[in-house]
Every structure is written in structure tokens, then in C-alpha cells.
């Protein structure tokens, strides 16, 4: 898996893959004797077919650039987040790594850990920068300086098990408002959990609070809170969002023990047909399959999708979207070959290829035509019609406030904290920054 660099290289790659499968961490292997330059790439990936696609792209690049050895390290999501801060300060730092952008990326840039990509992307009349959706580049730009290469966008929405909905007499097309959604949740069938919830990792549950804040308050209320203006996170619309979240929690919509369930377990629950819904990413069809008990999960034709519902009387629009803008941040000591590979990795041809397998909603200009998966296409169409696309709150607000957002979301949803107490905790964290 290190792309046919001899037995030693192949052995090192197998160890990397095994480490990823077991949730272990493994440092990058030594440079191979035949390579002049090693490019170290840190990513998170759990879908075997997608992992192979990354490797195939790297292998093709290596064939065309025999002096370069691209070394991939895949980590599980939580291991990635735990290990990255230490890696960035070490001599074993990757040359580029997966990024969610937002305040986390901004803070990494401020520490001096990242390479400023502005000049490279704006050279030759800005040809590289212009090869992407302008909104994608903007998401990785701070004070007119670019700190990551964009590669995909995404949006969070509900996915549902069509057979279970039919069994419960619930029609997804009728879920337009938050009240409609609560009515669907109340329609419980024996042995069926309404929603798969991952409270162990906390961040999966912050999607609910974030969307409710967006639907109740709209963009201006969130921007004011983010910038510590006006009433901040104590705005009435944000308090109402917390109250609605608490109302959902009182319905006990999640599986038993959900507060300890991590995200792979949550996806597996949905994939095993034990929960009717999951609030998740655009790649859910593939990830539920990879995490299911039999490795097959729900058949694609048994999975439906609908946007997070509107809140009646709220200032936000039903067309406002919450989701990711992901890219590759480059570390300060990365060799020029790392940038050259990134330009290749994210070109329209490769993005079109990744889109064709349902792997991404691409940002390279002209690559969107490659999307063939119906569920991914639905996400892409929703993004195309988005009136406000907001990055995940825990990423956009920076690491210190983001952690509090995740904590408060879980506490409010589980009834351990009131909406006002949670909002006050987030506001205090914001004022301390």
C-alpha cells in the first residue's frame, strides 16, 4: 500500500493500514532508499474503498514523479484530533493534513505551524486559486492570506431508513417544520430507536443545537454572537434553540447508552437497521455500510434523506445549510513537492473521479458533473441552493469555545443543564478568548 516501493515499503504501508483499522496511531515510516523526497500526508478515513482511492491517486502521481514518495497515514477521527496538536510541534509533523477550517485552522496559522499558501496559489495570475469554487477558497482565507487547499464541501442532513419509516407510517416529505419532526420522533415502533445518537464523541450532537440556532436566529444573530456583539449567545433566539433541544431530549429519541456511543458505533446502529434516522454527513451511505455489523449495511435504495426542518417563526431560512468545508493545511517545513502533489490531488480530473464514487462534493471547477450517487447529488443540490452555508460551530468558533459548544449541547439535550445555563457557559468561554 505504499505503492510498490519494494517489500520494505509495502510492509510499512500494511502496518499503517492495520493501525488505521484498529484505531491505532503509527508514525510515518522512514524514507525509502530510492526516493529523493518523501511527502507525508495525514488523513482520516474509515471506508476501505475510499482509502484505496486515495492510495491509487498517490500511486499514479508517484509513477509520474519517480523522485517522490507519498506516504499516507490514516487515523480515526478522535485519534486524529488528539494527536495532531502534538505532531504539529514535533519533528515528525506531516507535510499536509486534513482540515475543517474555521477558528481551529486560524489558530494553527497564528502559532506559525502552517505554510502561507497565498503566493503559491496566486502565482501565474491566480490560476491555482481560480481552479476552485471561490467560496471554498474564502473559507480558508484569513486577512487575505490562504492557509489551506480546498477539496470538498458538505452539508449535514437527516438520513432515514425507508422501511422503518413505512412501518411507522411516517412520510419524510411531510417533515417540513421542527414540530413535524418531533411528531415523527414520537411515532415509536417496538424495538426501533427513532434516532441514532453519538454522545460519546459529543460533536455529533452539537449539530442539533447549531441547526436550531441557525433556524431560530438566522445569520446575523450567529455572527453577532461569534463576534461577541449585542446579546451574544444569550440572545432570545439562541435560548429558544436550547429549549427546543431540551424538548427533543425529553422524548428520549436516542438508543440506550447513547451518551457513551462514539460516531462509528452510531453509524453502525443506523446501518444495522436499529434506528430510523441519523443526522449525518453527505457520505453516510458509505460510512454506515463500513460500520455495520455485516459490512453491508442498509441497501442504498432503502436510504432516504431530508434537510434539517425549518422552525416556524424563526429568522433563519430552511435553505440555510450547516456543514463542512474541508481542505489540506500545509505545515511550515513542507517541501515544494507537497504543494505540487496537492495541486495534482485536487485538480478537476481527480475531484471528478472522487465525486463519481460518492466520495465528495467537489470544489474544483467543473468537477461537480462527476457526481452520480443520488444521495450525494441531493447534498450537492442543497449546497448549490444554500442561502447561508455555515461551517460547523465547533470548528468555526475555535477550539476553546468549540469544546464548550459540544459540551453544552450534550448537557442540554440530556437534561443535565438548562438552555440558559448552556448559553451562559458558551458566552463566558467566548468572552475569555
Amino acid at each position: 500500500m505504499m505503492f510498490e516501493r519494494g517489500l520494505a515499503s509495502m510492509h510499512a504501508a500494511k502496518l499503517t493500514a492495520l493501525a488505521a483499522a484498529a484505531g491505532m496511531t503509527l508514525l510515518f515510516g522512514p524514507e525509502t532508499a530510492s526516493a529523493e523526497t518523501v511527502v507525508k500526508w495525514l488523513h482520516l478515513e474509515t471506508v476501505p474503498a475510499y482509502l484505496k482511492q486515495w492510495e491509487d491517486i498517490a500511486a499514479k502521481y508517484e509513477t509520474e514523479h519517480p523522485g517522490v514518495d507519498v506516504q499516507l497515514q490514516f487515523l480515526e477521527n478522535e485519534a486524529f484530533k488528539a494527536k495532531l496538536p502534538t505532531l504539529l510541534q514535533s519533528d515528525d509533523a506531516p507535510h499536509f493534513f486534513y482540515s475543517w477550517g474555521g477558528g481551529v485552522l486560524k489558530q494553527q496559522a497564528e502559532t506559525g505551524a502552517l505554510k502561507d499558501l497565498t503566493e503559491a496559489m496566486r502565482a501565474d495570475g491566480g490560476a491555482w486559486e481560480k481552479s476552485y469554487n471561490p467560496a471554498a477558497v474564502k473559507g480558508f482565507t484569513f486577512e487575505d492570506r490562504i492557509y489551506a487547499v480546498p477539496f470538498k464541501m458538505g452539508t449535514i442532513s437527516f438520513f432515514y431508513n425507508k422501511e422503518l419509516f413505512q412501518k411507522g407510517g411516517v412520510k419524510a416529505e411531510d417533515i417540513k417544520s421542527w414540530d413535524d419532526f418531533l411528531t415523527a420522533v414520537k411515532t415509536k415502533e417496538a424495538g426501533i430507536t427513532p434516532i441514532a445518537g453519538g454522545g460519546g464523541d459529543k460533536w455529533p450532537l452539537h449539530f442539533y443545537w447549531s441547526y436550531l440556532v441557525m433556524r431560530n436566529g438566522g445569520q446575523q444573530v450567529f455572527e453577532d454572537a461569534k463576534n461577541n456583539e449585542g446579546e451574544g449567545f444569550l440572545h432570545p433566539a439562541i435560548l429558544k434553540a436550547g429549549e427546543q433541544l431540551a424538548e427533543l431530549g425529553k422524548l428520549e429519541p436516542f438508543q440506550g447508552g447513547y451518551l457513551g456511543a462514539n460516531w462509528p458505533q452510531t453509524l453502525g446502529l443506523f446501518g444495522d437497521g436499529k434506528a430510523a434516522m441519523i443526522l449525518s454527513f453527505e457520505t453516510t451511505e458509505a460510512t454506515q455500510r463500513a460500520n455495520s455489523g455485516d459490512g453491508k449495511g442498509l441497501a442504498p435504495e432503502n436510504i432516504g434523506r431530508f434537510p434539517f426542518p425549518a422552525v416556524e417563526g424563526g429568522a433563519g431560512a430552511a435553505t440555510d445549510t450547516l456543514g463542512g468545508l474541508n481542505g489540506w493545511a500545509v505545515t511550515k517545513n513542507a517541501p515544494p513537492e507537497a504543494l505540487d502533489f496537492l495541486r495534482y490531488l485536487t485538480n478537476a480530473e481527480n475531484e471528478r473521479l472522487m465525486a463519481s464514487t460518492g466520495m465528495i462534493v467537489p470544489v474544483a471547477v467543473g468537477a461537480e458533473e462527476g457526481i452520480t450517487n443520488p444521495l450525494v447529488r441531493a447534498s450537492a443540490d442543497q449546497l448549490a441552493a444554500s442561502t447561508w452555508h455555515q461551517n460547523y460551530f465547533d470548528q468555526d468558533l475555535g477550539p476553546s469555545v468549540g469544546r464548550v459548544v459540544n459540551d453544552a449541547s450534550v448537557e442540554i439535550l440530556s437534561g443535565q443543564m438548562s438552555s440558559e445555563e448552556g448559553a451562559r457557559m458558551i458566552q463566558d468561554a467566548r468572552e475569555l478568548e
Side-chain angles (χ1 to χ4, degrees), residues 262-296:
N262 63 29
W263 187 239
Q265 291 168 338
T266 305
L267 286 164
L269 185 79
F270 180 72
D272 291 338
K274 296 180 180 179
M277 291 180 279
I278 187 170
L279 185 59
S280 185
F281 306 93
E282 65 282 354
T283 54
T284 293
E285 181 192 330
T287 53
Q288 61 86 27
R289 180 168 57 251
N291 288 282
S292 64
D294 61 5
K296 298 178 181 178

Side-chain angles (χ1 to χ4, degrees), residues 85-158:
T86 301
L87 272 179
L88 291 180
Q89 301 303 318
S90 75
D91 293 334
D92 199 41
H95 293 137
F96 67 93
F97 60 91
Y98 185 85
S99 174
W100 291 269
V104 175
L105 179 69
K106 185 173 186 290
Q107 186 178 86
Q108 290 166 342
E110 290 171 346
T111 66
L114 305 184
K115 187 184 290 291
D116 185 335
L117 304 179
T118 313
E119 292 183 7
M121 293 189 69
R122 291 180 179 168
D124 301 321
W128 190 9
E129 179 183 8
K130 292 175 183 177
S131 69
Y132 307 113
N133 180 323
V137 178
K138 183 179 179 181
F140 296 118
T141 303
F142 306 104
E143 297 180 0
D144 201 37
R145 310 304 295 176
I146 305 170
Y147 286 99
V149 178
F151 95 96
K152 72 170 186 174
M153 296 180 72
T155 188
I156 298 297
S157 58
F158 278 104

Side-chain angles (χ1 to χ4, degrees), residues 206-254:
H206 105 286
F207 296 152
Y208 292 87
W209 185 78
S210 301
Y211 253 132
L212 286 169
V213 168
M214 293 174 66
R215 294 291 189 258
N216 282 283
Q219 186 171 8
Q220 191 59 55
V221 166
F222 175 73
E223 290 294 335
D224 286 348
K226 175 182 173 180
N227 297 317
N228 209 17
E229 297 176 355
E231 296 171 274
F233 286 99
L234 294 172
H235 190 283
I238 296 180
L239 295 180
K240 183 179 178 182
E243 292 166 0
Q244 290 169 329
L245 183 64
E247 182 182 6
L248 173 64
K250 290 177 182 177
L251 296 178
E252 299 183 350
F254 305 111

Side-chain angles (χ1 to χ4, degrees), residues 350-375:
N350 282 325
E351 290 245 311
R352 193 179 297 112
L353 174 65
M354 289 184 276
S356 70
T357 61
M359 190 172 176
I360 64 169
V361 175
V363 296
V365 176
E368 65 280 355
E369 63 192 37
I371 301 174
T372 58
N373 181 288
L375 290 170

Side-chain angles (χ1 to χ4, degrees), residues 274-396:
K274 296 180 180 179
M277 291 180 279
I278 187 170
L279 185 59
S280 185
F281 306 93
E282 65 282 354
T283 54
T284 293
E285 181 192 330
T287 53
Q288 61 86 27
R289 180 168 57 251
N291 288 282
S292 64
D294 61 5
K296 298 178 181 178
L298 301 180
E301 59 270 20
N302 190 29
I303 302 174
R305 177 189 178 280
F306 62 90
F308 195 93
V311 170
E312 293 181 3
T319 48
D320 293 341
T321 51
L322 171 75
L325 172 59
N326 302 106
W328 307 109
V330 182
T331 51
K332 60 183 178 182
N333 295 322
E337 289 83 354
L339 292 186
D340 187 66
F341 174 68
L342 274 176
R343 188 166 185 167
Y344 172 82
L345 176 67
T346 59
N347 66 26
E349 179 182 352
N350 282 325
E351 290 245 311
R352 193 179 297 112
L353 174 65
M354 289 184 276
S356 70
T357 61
M359 190 172 176
I360 64 169
V361 175
V363 296
V365 176
E368 65 280 355
E369 63 192 37
I371 301 174
T372 58
N373 181 288
L375 290 170
V376 178
R377 167 55 65 185
S379 291
D381 291 345
Q382 186 182 4
L383 281 167
S386 177
T387 44
W388 163 35
H389 185 64
Q390 172 57 46
N391 193 6
Y392 309 116
F393 281 22
D394 62 340
Q395 295 294 326
D396 196 34

